[in-house]
Amino acid sequence: MNVSVPRPHLPLSRFQQLRTRDPDQAREVVGDVFCPHRLTSLDGARTFDTRFHAAAAGRVSLCYLDYGGRVHIAPEAQETFYLLLIPLAGRAELADGPLRAAYGPGAAGVPPVDRGYTIRVGAGSPHLVVRIVREHLERHLRGMLGRRVAEPVRFDLGMDMAAPALRSWRRVLDLLLDEIDDGGRIPLHPLAMRDMERLLLTRLLLGQPHNHSALLHEPPRDAPPRAIRMAAELIEAHAGEELTVEDIAEAVGVGIRALQAGFRRHLDSTPTRFLRETRLRRVRQELTAADPATTKVTDVAARWGFVHPGHFSVSYRRRYGEPPSATLRR
């Protein structure tokens, strides 16, 4: 599947880890990032030409991997991360025992966790690979459900990128890829990166079918008023810290969806909107008390998690009827 915005260079080119025609070197370097595996060039040395780029952002890593020619890959079983294999061109096939998923433009592959599998990649099939720490994804699922789950998440092998929910997920992924490629501030800012991770994982768990999907799509029950009061007090007390909806839900002992339903019912808001409004209010308070000669609006905004000056300025003006610079000058 083509990336949504044309790029003048290969994805993640600033993070090149390897360029080689040696299959042994490719297997060693790629295996260090993912896991040990067997790598067989199906066309011999004639077309084998590996490029590997890799960058980490929080507990999510993005990689660009192109073997040039046709290859067969047999990874060892691993239990610590999930992979999403998104071809930027060409074709590939993922096999988990008797199960098969062929994918190419408009589709992707999701290997199983905790058991071996094989991948057959066609010639001219560069991939964008997303690596997600398993513990982080499963903790996020527990937060969404408000309960523990006995089984690991087992996604369907094939991923239909044309499905509306997964198109939404891909837009978030492309935003993160752009931020990493262009040296943006989100991957470097803990508050912003936690929000990005949360959105990426939520849309993945809701969009890609897996063994817990039915539980996620059950109608949520509202969190009780006491839990909503506790959540609001928690946000007020910790708005300047790394705080996500899952953190709040876990702290007050409810699931994410129950928390969201309770905020809508009792506060006519959402936890995310309530947190954003709290942070905007704290920015306004700080700007009102600050010395304009020694204070920059962007620095104050960044301290409260607003890393895109343009977006922040629009939100601030919409909320308070004036630009943040006018508040600072008063």
Side-chain angles (χ1 to χ4, degrees):
M1 178 177 180
N2 293 327
V3 291
S4 54
V5 178
R7 300 175 187 277
H9 51 73
L10 295 176
L12 305 171
S13 58
R14 295 192 301 118
F15 304 93
Q16 180 169 303
Q17 306 294 313
L18 178 70
R19 176 74 189 278
T20 186
R21 291 182 174 276
D22 181 349
D24 290 334
Q25 185 184 20
R27 180 175 60 249
E28 180 180 350
V29 174
V30 174
D32 284 344
V33 173
F34 297 125
C35 62
H37 60 281
R38 297 193 306 275
L39 173 64
T40 305
S41 174
L42 301 179
D43 297 321
R46 183 168 55 87
T47 60
F48 189 87
D49 184 9
T50 296
R51 293 177 182 265
F52 180 52
H53 310 161
R59 284 153 290 199
V60 176
S61 299
L62 301 185
C63 304
Y64 172 83
L65 180 57
D66 183 8
Y67 289 106
R70 296 183 304 135
V71 297
H72 182 270
I73 307 164
E76 294 182 8
Q78 55 75 30
E79 299 187 354
T80 61
F81 58 85
Y82 291 88
L83 291 179
L84 306 167
L85 311 175
I86 306 171
L88 305 179
R91 298 279 178 177
E93 182 182 76
L94 175 63
D96 173 17
L99 301 176
R100 298 286 190 275
Y103 59 94
V110 188
V113 71
D114 74 11
R115 59 177 181 259
Y117 56 92
T118 61
I119 312 168
R120 184 178 292 266
V121 182
S125 301
H127 278 55
L128 179 64
V129 182
V130 184
R131 182 185 187 276
I132 301 172
V133 175
R134 174 180 172 180
E135 181 183 2
H136 184 45
L137 183 138
E138 294 185 350
R139 176 176 179 267
H140 189 80
L141 174 64
R142 291 196 299 270
M144 293 177 71
L145 291 173
R147 69 181 84 169
R148 294 191 174 276
V149 291
E151 290 290 321
V153 178
R154 300 198 184 280
F155 290 106
D156 286 3
L157 289 184
M159 193 173 189
D160 179 9
M161 302 296 285
L166 290 174
R167 288 202 306 268
S168 174
W169 174 81
R170 181 59 193 269
R171 285 193 292 271
V172 178
L173 178 63
D174 281 344
L175 174 59
L176 178 58
L177 180 59
D178 285 338
E179 285 287 310
I180 295 173
D181 258 344
D182 299 337
R185 300 182 69 178
I186 285 179
L188 302 177
H189 197 285
L191 286 176
M193 192 59 221
R194 288 285 297 275
D195 286 344
M196 177 72 79
E197 287 178 355
R198 178 183 57 80
L199 188 58
L200 196 69
L201 296 184
T202 296
R203 294 190 179 184
L204 174 64
L205 287 166
L206 291 176
Q208 174 64 5
H210 54 85
N211 53 327
H212 303 293
S213 290
L215 292 175
L216 280 176
H217 293 290
E218 289 179 353
R221 292 177 293 180
D222 289 2
R226 180 175 178 273
I228 300 304
R229 286 195 302 272
M230 291 172 59
E233 291 170 359
L234 180 70
I235 290 172
E236 291 284 355
H238 300 279
E241 302 172 19
E242 293 184 33
L243 192 63
T244 67
V245 175
E246 66 221 80
D247 294 331
I248 300 165
E250 184 175 357
V252 301
V254 300
I256 290 174
R257 295 187 307 143
L259 184 72
Q260 291 168 332
F263 262 74
R264 285 191 292 269
R265 179 180 178 85
H266 300 292
L267 298 178
D268 192 27
S269 185
T270 66
T272 300
R273 189 186 312 146
F274 192 91
L275 176 59
R276 184 174 63 249
E277 291 290 321
T278 300
R279 287 173 172 167
L280 280 172
R281 188 172 71 253
R282 298 297 175 79
V283 170
R284 184 172 179 82
Q285 291 168 351
E286 194 168 330
L287 291 176
T288 300
D291 180 354
T294 59
T295 303
K296 292 183 178 180
V297 169
T298 53
D299 291 341
V300 176
R303 270 198 298 276
W304 292 98
F306 300 104
V307 296
H308 280 292
H311 295 168
F312 162 71
S313 183
V314 169
S315 297
Y316 190 95
R317 184 190 290 268
R318 184 181 299 122
R319 178 67 179 84
Y320 295 111
E322 65 181 14
S325 58
T327 304
L328 178 61
R329 286 194 300 267
R330 281 209 304 272

